[in-house]
Amino acid sequence: MRYEPDRCRLLELYKETKITQRDVCKITGIPESQLSDYAHNRTTMGYGTAVTISRALKLPNCELLYTWRIVEG
């Protein structure tokens, strides 16, 4: 059994943490367009990027950036 990211939670996490996409951009240096691509599931962030963004949002771990699905086989 293995897990894969299902849906990015950035949009809801911006609201929960009261940290905006622009704030994350300023803190991390990741372009807003790239953050938007993640937030709208156009692309999936790599592990290093996920750690960077999760720290900017003050999350306890980067797994909270996504919902996860189990992949059989």
Side-chain angles (χ1 to χ4, degrees):
M1 171 174 60
R2 79 187 159 104
Y3 293 86
E4 287 184 352
D6 186 34
R7 182 184 55 81
C8 184
R9 297 185 58 238
L10 272 179
L11 296 176
E12 61 193 82
L13 290 167
Y14 293 149
K15 290 177 186 174
E16 286 177 22
T17 62
K18 296 184 172 68
I19 298 172
T20 67
Q21 180 173 286
R22 182 161 291 172
D23 293 335
V24 174
C25 175
K26 288 178 184 176
I27 293 166
T28 65
I30 298 169
E32 282 192 71
S33 60
Q34 188 67 43
L35 292 169
S36 178
D37 285 345
Y38 297 140
H40 291 95
N41 297 295
R42 290 186 283 265
T43 187
T44 304
M45 62 188 86
Y47 184 74
T49 301
V51 170
T52 301
I53 292 171
S54 67
R55 293 202 176 152
L57 292 170
K58 300 176 180 157
L59 301 175
N61 64 65
C62 63
E63 290 179 5
L64 295 174
L65 291 171
Y66 284 91
T67 60
W68 296 86
R69 69 175 175 259
I70 297 171
V71 178
E72 299 294 330

